[in-house]
Amino acid sequence: MSFAIRSQNTWNTAKENGVFDLEMAPVQVQDKKGTKTIDTDEHPRPDSSVDKISKLRPVFKKDGVVTAANASGICDGAGSVILATEGAVKRVWIYTFSSSNQLSCIWL
């Protein structure tokens, strides 16, 4: 449990010090209550405590040890990597910003 608490506290300290500011692009989202700005990862729980997480039930097995406090979150996100040969990149006129051996990373 102490690892879960330490992890949440470390995230909170980093967030307060702007460590993630360049990694999160604010997005405007419309919901039933109006428009809101999403600019922070929703998974961390900086208000976690040993008392709170000790009350969580295991999520996979009745007597298991994995709880919502120490399991990976189910997070939405998007990313893409396209690997292509140099010849393929040149054929479709895509700007490459990184390459390794005969593969290139491209910016679309």
Side-chain angles (χ1 to χ4, degrees):
M1 279 189 245
S2 63
F3 176 80
I5 298 300
R6 191 183 98 218
S7 178
Q8 296 297 331
N9 290 337
T10 300
W11 177 88
N12 193 44
T13 299
K15 175 66 178 162
E16 288 175 349
N17 289 309
V19 172
F20 305 117
D21 289 352
L22 295 176
E23 296 180 20
M24 296 290 292
V27 176
Q28 298 290 319
V29 177
Q30 185 72 34
D31 65 8
K32 294 176 184 178
K33 297 179 182 178
T35 303
K36 63 181 178 179
T37 301
I38 307 295
D39 62 357
T40 303
D41 186 353
E42 61 190 17
H43 185 69
R45 301 287 184 254
D47 61 338
S48 296
S49 68
V50 173
D51 183 50
K52 287 181 182 179
I53 67 172
S54 65
K55 296 175 184 175
L56 296 172
R57 295 182 187 179
V59 291
F60 298 111
K61 296 180 182 179
K62 183 179 178 182
D63 296 323
V65 295
V66 179
T67 69
N70 61 10
S72 297
I74 300 173
C75 300
D76 297 329
S80 178
V81 174
I82 299 173
L83 297 176
T85 64
E86 184 176 353
V89 170
K90 287 180 179 177
R91 278 194 305 275
V92 294
W93 296 77
I94 299 173
Y95 172 73
T96 61
F97 65 86
S98 177
S99 63
S100 173
N101 295 331
Q102 294 181 352
L103 299 175
S104 298
C105 296
I106 59 176
W107 188 264
L108 299 174

